[in-house]
Amino acid sequence: MATLTIDDAIAAFVACEPGDEAARRKLRERLWTLVADRSLASPIRTALADAIAILDDPSEFKGAKEADGLEKVRQALEVAVDHAECGDRAMSENEPASAPKELLPELAIVSKSDAPVLTIPDDADRSLIEDFIAEAREYLEGAEAALLRLESTPDEGDAINDVFRAFHTIKGTSSFLGLAAIAGFAHHAEDMLDRVRASELAFAGQVPELSFRAVDLLKTLVSAIPAALAGAAPALPAEYEALSHALSHPERAATPIRVSADVPADAPKMRASTAASVPTAEPLVKVRTDKLDRLVEMVGELVIAQTMMMQDGVVRDATNHNLAQKVRHADKIVRELQDLSLGLRMVPLKGAITKLARVVRDLATRSGKQITFTVAGEDTEVDRTLVDLLADPLLHMVRNAVDHGIEAPSERLKAGKPAMGTVRLEASQAGDRVLVKLIDDGRGLQRDKIVAKAIEKGIITSADNMSDTEVFDLIFAPGFSTADQVTEVSGRGVGMDVVRRNLMAMRGRTVITSKAGFGSTFTIELPLTLAITDGMIVRVGAERFIVPTAQIRRCFRPEPSAVFTAQGKGEMVQTAGEVLPVVRLHRALVVHGAQEGVVDGILMVVGDGNNRTAFLVDELLGQQQVVAKPLGDAIGRVRGLTGGAILGDGRVGLILDVDELVLASRGTNGVVQAA
Amino acid sequence: MTAPVAETTATRTLGGKYLTFVLANEEYAFEILTVHEIIGIMAVTPVPHSHPVIRGVVNLRGKVIPIVDLRRRFGMTPPPEGETPETCIIVLNVRNLLVGIAVDAVSEVRMINEAEIEPPPAFGSDVDTSCLLGVANSESKVRMLLDAEKVLALDVIASL
């Protein structure tokens, strides 16, 4: 492309005899190539674009007028040649009257944001750019939510303003920071939305889709910034040029726009001037997350130190009444400080939920289903780390509900249900747990189908004695999928088992209830925070370990008659109507001097569904809230442990990874098996 | 260990302040800059399935740090007398990781001049000298200068 020059275009022009359309097409091709050549100065390219516009106008080449049309093209080319010869001299009276003005601003932008890669100026302020990344993401999510609102209520003027403001702010900030590629693109998006805002353009036809794609592309650009900061030059998305162009000319985009019905008749409702009515929020302070985490950690340490002091004999048995009172007072302050500091890390679940509305919309469109997605309780607060961890499982579950749960409209009508299916997400707080429910009114889980599939996949051999809950639980088994067809979306059988694994990693639980024909409810139960764990301290030999209380189903001392063996070694215990394998924790954890006999210790039932197992420990020492800490990089990951925590006496107690110990005892990686 | 470490060993001057300590009646020393603090021996929680040289973890003011048993690291037998009041833990800061080293006793912080330091002698295959920066010979005493990073061989231990 770089080999073409204006002379080539002129040669092509000379070849244009009246009536020779092929030659004109060739000229047009060369002109486009030149316009796209960013090494040319922008006035030259503008002039060339003018020439193309003339060529593209059929009225200029009608019959006898053809010679005039060619003459206009010639003039435009002359202007280009003049510019090429005189450099960037300003355009004079030669400017053709017919120049389509809308091309000009676009070209001007293109020449500013010219590199095909995302570049960051050398003198850029890195911290400002990092702030921008976070800010832009927030704005884009807001824009996406507003676009979804607009789709359901197209005349909601505030939503348009929200979207506009997002693009506008991103354009402003990115151009200030020298992120030309982002500023240029946001400018096009802003332009289009501005026209919608001014009621020049209806939010219909291609416009909503273009807006969504603009948001997506900006997201991609924004997430490429860190790479650019690191010195790489990430290429702009392939769609960049085409989408920029489509945004400047939404009318020309593939599907014709329906101007009539979709334009709100009472345009003033759009309230184009409400840009000033920014939703008021509490004043905020931005704090780096690592500082916040450090603060929470320090408070955790303070709580431990306080506990140790309270348990010290001198304080506990103090006869000095004054001292005891002072210690209690300090204790109260420390507890309040702890609550407060944990509250600092709490953020609304919204962050994990907003994206879902978009997912439902896209999936429903693709699969031809009609779905309303409603959300309740998105302001429920959980620990920041949990919001990030929750995003993926929720995504899988929503996909699952849309893909497997909700039926096609025809099927729904046949079943006597409205064609429009509903998927509802409800979040709420119950004590120190968070409940997230995903409710759909689809076909429900079909027990027979699940059982047949599980038998086919070799997950179970028979479901005779299994309750519905147990059967439903099978969909979380690795390699399970009930979709009749493997779809691009959720039929690959990876997904639900990942959901369960992720949720277990954050000490969450899942419960499914379902009624065939009426829909399913998936309930996720999570702790409010991962920073503090309720732990049961157990003694195994001379060592103490911490078992997360949430994972203990119950504890009991077995009767000798309830203990059985298989082939002389595999031990089992019968309790509450079920038979569970017994795992001696002291063997799994290589501790000496612990109780060998099952009946001499305490059995602790852990795990879910088919993984329920009884752990043998010597003694339960009591419950304590503990702050989980990593064992340190020098040790790395140790099998069967999730970390350590400081116990009341200042020693380190190790927190058991119950799931891993259970899996290991099943022989999947041989830790317990060897013992 | 990695190449850059070998490079710095070759080019840096070894003279400077060292913390000297006793292990099985032999005198060793760590460069003072790698020492974070010295703490008395405390109850160590053993960590199952961890590397044999890791004695366990302790609570260092709310932080959980691992304790490396230097005797085991050097393939020596445990002290016959067990832990004494002299036994203590040197907390090293290596590449921003805190790791405790259990030693029999800490002696002193002393200045060791470049001139007193000789390259590690060759003992043949019986003795691993890879952890030695050099040998300091002063006041008729020989002290082994240890390379903290190599003693801990952090990446090796963590990967096991």
Side-chain angles (χ1 to χ4, degrees):
Chain A
M1 256 183 249
T3 53
L4 267 189
T5 65
I6 296 182
D7 290 341
D8 295 308
I10 291 173
F13 174 72
V14 173
C16 283
E17 295 290 340
D20 187 353
E21 285 198 27
R24 284 218 302 274
R25 268 202 303 279
K26 184 161 187 182
L27 169 63
R28 190 174 170 282
E29 248 172 56
R30 291 199 174 170
L31 288 174
W32 265 121
T33 314
L34 286 167
V35 168
D37 183 354
R38 292 186 172 115
S39 62
L40 293 176
S42 68
I44 303 174
R45 290 158 66 199
T46 311
L48 294 172
D50 291 345
I52 296 173
I54 298 162
L55 278 171
D56 281 351
D57 188 351
S59 68
E60 298 280 11
F61 294 89
K62 244 183 228 153
K65 284 184 73 184
E66 191 174 346
D68 293 349
L70 283 175
E71 172 58 18
K72 282 185 183 169
V73 173
R74 193 192 63 77
Q75 282 173 6
L77 284 177
E78 214 161 65
V79 174
V81 172
D82 278 354
H83 280 299
E85 280 168 3
C86 314
D88 272 351
R89 199 185 56 183
M91 273 205 239
S92 55
E93 65 281 0
N94 292 9
E95 189 176 349
S98 63
K101 290 283 184 279
E102 55 181 301
L103 275 176
L104 298 179
E106 186 203 3
L107 286 171
I109 291 281
V110 165
S111 66
K112 265 193 278 166
S113 63
D114 54 0
V117 292
L118 182 62
T119 52
I120 288 187
D122 299 335
D123 56 350
D125 182 328
R126 298 179 73 89
S127 72
L128 280 182
I129 290 185
E130 276 158 17
D131 288 347
F132 169 69
I133 297 175
E135 186 193 42
R137 286 200 172 128
E138 266 168 42
Y139 270 111
L140 288 170
E141 298 214 329
E144 196 165 35
L147 282 171
L148 288 164
R149 287 210 306 280
L150 266 179
E151 275 208 321
S152 47
T153 46
D155 53 353
E156 198 195 324
D158 281 350
I160 272 289
N161 285 327
D162 284 350
V163 182
F164 173 78
R165 204 177 309 118
F167 289 141
H168 178 76
T169 311
I170 288 172
K171 180 191 82 169
T173 317
S174 57
S175 93
F176 165 71
L177 293 170
L179 304 166
I182 296 179
F185 185 82
H187 174 80
H188 292 298
E190 180 199 1
D191 264 3
M192 186 180 80
L193 266 296
D194 196 29
R195 293 175 61 196
V196 175
R197 223 161 59 121
S199 307
E200 272 176 42
L201 194 66
F203 189 75
Q206 285 296 299
V207 177
E209 190 58 34
L210 283 175
S211 315
F212 275 118
R213 280 167 59 196
V215 169
D216 287 346
L217 196 117
L218 279 172
K219 276 186 187 167
T220 316
L221 288 174
V222 168
S223 38
I225 297 177
L229 273 180
L236 295 182
E239 242 195 338
Y240 184 87
E241 283 294 325
L243 199 52
S244 300
H245 191 257
L247 286 170
S248 336
H249 311 286
E251 303 90 340
R252 288 192 215 156
T255 351
I257 211 164
R258 282 170 297 146
V259 190
S260 55
D262 282 306
V263 178
D266 44 350
K269 242 183 152 183
M270 303 281 283
R271 286 176 302 195
S273 59
T274 48
S277 71
V278 183
T280 46
E282 296 269 321
L284 297 175
V285 180
K286 281 189 183 171
V287 180
R288 287 174 54 117
T289 50
D290 56 345
K291 283 188 183 169
L292 199 60
D293 291 347
R294 185 83 191 112
L295 176 72
V296 175
E297 200 178 302
M298 291 297 288
V299 173
E301 285 170 24
L302 180 63
V303 171
I304 292 160
Q306 175 75 18
T307 311
M308 285 167 67
M309 191 176 76
M310 298 282 286
Q311 289 179 0
D312 193 287
V314 177
V315 173
R316 205 178 46 213
D317 312 326
T319 46
N320 183 337
H321 182 68
N322 260 341
L323 174 68
Q325 205 175 9
K326 283 169 190 158
V327 170
R328 267 201 307 278
H329 185 58
D331 190 55
K332 191 166 160 278
I333 295 173
V334 168
R335 302 290 155 186
E336 271 177 32
L337 186 60
Q338 182 186 24
D339 285 349
L340 206 64
S341 74
L342 288 176
L344 286 180
R345 296 214 308 193
M346 295 298 205
V347 294
L349 265 177
K350 211 178 272 167
I353 291 177
T354 18
K355 294 174 200 126
L356 298 176
R358 175 76 191 278
V359 171
V360 173
R361 173 195 176 272
D362 288 357
L363 286 181
T365 315
R366 218 182 307 166
S367 57
K369 292 176 182 174
Q370 298 173 10
I371 299 173
T372 327
F373 180 69
T374 57
V375 173
E378 54 183 348
D379 290 326
T380 307
E381 292 195 324
V382 296
D383 195 290
R384 183 178 56 80
T385 46
L386 281 176
V387 172
D388 296 342
L389 289 171
L390 195 57
D392 262 2
L394 275 181
L395 183 70
H396 276 296
M397 286 172 53
V398 164
R399 279 179 174 173
N400 203 58
V402 172
D403 210 36
H404 302 317
I406 304 289
E407 315 90 327
S410 56
E411 200 181 319
R412 290 182 62 89
L413 289 171
K414 237 184 270 172
K417 294 198 261 189
M420 178 76 80
T422 60
V423 175
R424 180 169 175 77
L425 196 131
E426 289 179 5
S428 58
Q429 191 185 335
D432 60 348
R433 310 283 287 175
V434 174
L435 296 179
V436 182
K437 287 186 181 179
L438 189 71
I439 307 156
D440 69 66
D441 69 343
R443 59 171 72 94
L445 292 175
Q446 288 145 303
R447 185 188 160 105
D448 301 347
K449 226 170 165 182
I450 295 172
V451 169
K453 190 81 170 195
I455 291 175
E456 180 199 319
K457 298 268 172 189
I459 299 167
I460 53 167
T461 48
S462 142
D464 288 348
N465 289 319
M466 290 174 79
S467 68
D468 279 357
T469 315
E470 283 169 331
V471 170
F472 296 158
D473 247 21
L474 290 172
I475 70 165
F476 291 113
F480 186 91
S481 166
T482 48
D484 293 331
Q485 276 178 313
V486 171
T487 69
E488 184 197 345
V489 186
S490 57
R492 277 164 305 195
V494 294
M496 292 316 267
D497 60 319
V498 177
V499 168
R500 169 148 294 180
R501 275 204 76 81
N502 286 0
L503 290 174
M504 278 187 159
M506 45 183 133
R507 301 199 306 273
R509 275 194 242 174
T510 42
V511 180
I512 307 174
T513 54
S514 178
K515 199 170 170 196
F518 291 92
S520 322
T521 301
F522 287 72
T523 307
I524 301 178
E525 197 189 314
L526 288 175
L528 275 181
T529 174
L530 290 184
I532 291 196
T533 312
D534 268 324
M536 174 71 79
I537 311 204
V538 301
R539 186 174 63 81
V540 178
E543 300 299 328
R544 288 171 302 172
F545 294 96
I546 301 160
V547 184
T549 312
Q551 287 178 297
I552 304 175
R553 302 288 161 262
R554 64 174 182 280
C555 299
F556 64 99
R557 189 182 284 275
E559 297 294 324
S561 61
V563 183
F564 301 90
T565 54
Q567 296 166 17
K569 28 186 199 289
E571 271 176 310
M572 293 165 293
V573 64
Q574 193 183 37
T575 165
E578 56 185 345
V579 176
L580 304 172
V582 173
V583 170
R584 288 183 162 81
L585 271 191
H586 65 270
R587 290 194 196 162
L589 300 167
V590 209
V591 176
H592 303 289
Q595 297 284 5
E596 271 298 327
V598 174
V599 291
D600 299 325
I602 301 276
L603 286 175
M604 205 164 56
V605 181
V606 296
D608 276 312
N610 296 327
N611 277 336
R612 286 163 89 88
T613 303
F615 282 175
L616 175 67
V617 301
D618 287 7
E619 195 184 348
L620 303 180
L621 296 175
Q623 290 200 36
Q624 188 188 330
Q625 285 202 330
V626 296
V627 180
K629 291 164 190 290
L631 291 181
D633 291 344
I635 290 195
R637 171 103 180 81
V638 178
R639 288 174 299 173
L641 302 175
T642 54
I646 316 295
L647 297 176
D649 63 355
R651 278 189 62 172
V652 179
L654 300 171
I655 305 173
L656 299 187
D657 184 336
V658 170
D659 296 318
E660 199 173 57
L661 287 168
V662 168
L663 282 179
S665 72
R666 303 281 157 128
T668 25
N669 72 20
V671 177
V672 181
Q673 212 186 12
Chain B
M1 288 298 281
T2 48
V5 176
E7 228 173 76
T8 46
T9 310
T11 52
R12 74 182 166 193
T13 53
L14 292 172
K17 282 189 172 169
Y18 282 79
L19 175 74
T20 65
F21 61 92
V22 182
L23 196 69
N25 297 323
E26 299 166 347
E27 284 242 1
Y28 292 87
F30 279 123
E31 277 174 295
I32 199 77
L33 288 177
T34 61
V35 178
H36 188 258
E37 63 181 296
I38 301 164
I39 52 177
I41 191 74
M42 52 168 88
V44 177
T45 304
V47 179
H49 306 297
S50 61
H51 191 272
V53 307
I54 304 274
R55 197 193 270 190
V57 289
V58 299
N59 165 19
L60 180 70
R61 290 187 305 280
K63 268 204 175 74
V64 177
I65 66 162
I67 301 298
V68 168
D69 191 317
L70 204 50
R71 282 178 180 258
R72 277 190 230 163
R73 173 70 179 85
F74 292 153
M76 304 194 266
T77 51
E81 68 275 23
E83 277 167 14
T84 68
E86 305 251 276
T87 310
C88 61
I89 293 171
I90 301 175
V91 181
L92 299 177
N93 183 341
V94 177
R95 282 189 272 161
N96 275 328
L97 290 176
L98 295 182
V99 180
I101 305 252
V103 301
D104 293 353
V106 165
S107 315
E108 59 175 338
V109 175
R110 68 176 292 130
M111 186 69 200
I112 297 181
N113 295 319
E114 188 77 34
E116 300 168 337
I117 302 172
E118 290 163 23
F123 294 106
S125 61
D126 284 353
V127 179
D128 176 12
T129 57
S130 66
C131 295
L132 289 183
L133 289 173
V135 174
N137 182 3
S138 49
E139 292 172 11
S140 70
K141 239 181 182 175
V142 172
R143 294 180 180 89
M144 259 70 72
L145 309 185
L146 292 174
D147 183 331
E149 207 161 319
K150 289 193 180 175
V151 166
L152 299 177
L154 295 174
D155 42 356
V156 179
I157 291 174
S159 68
L160 287 169

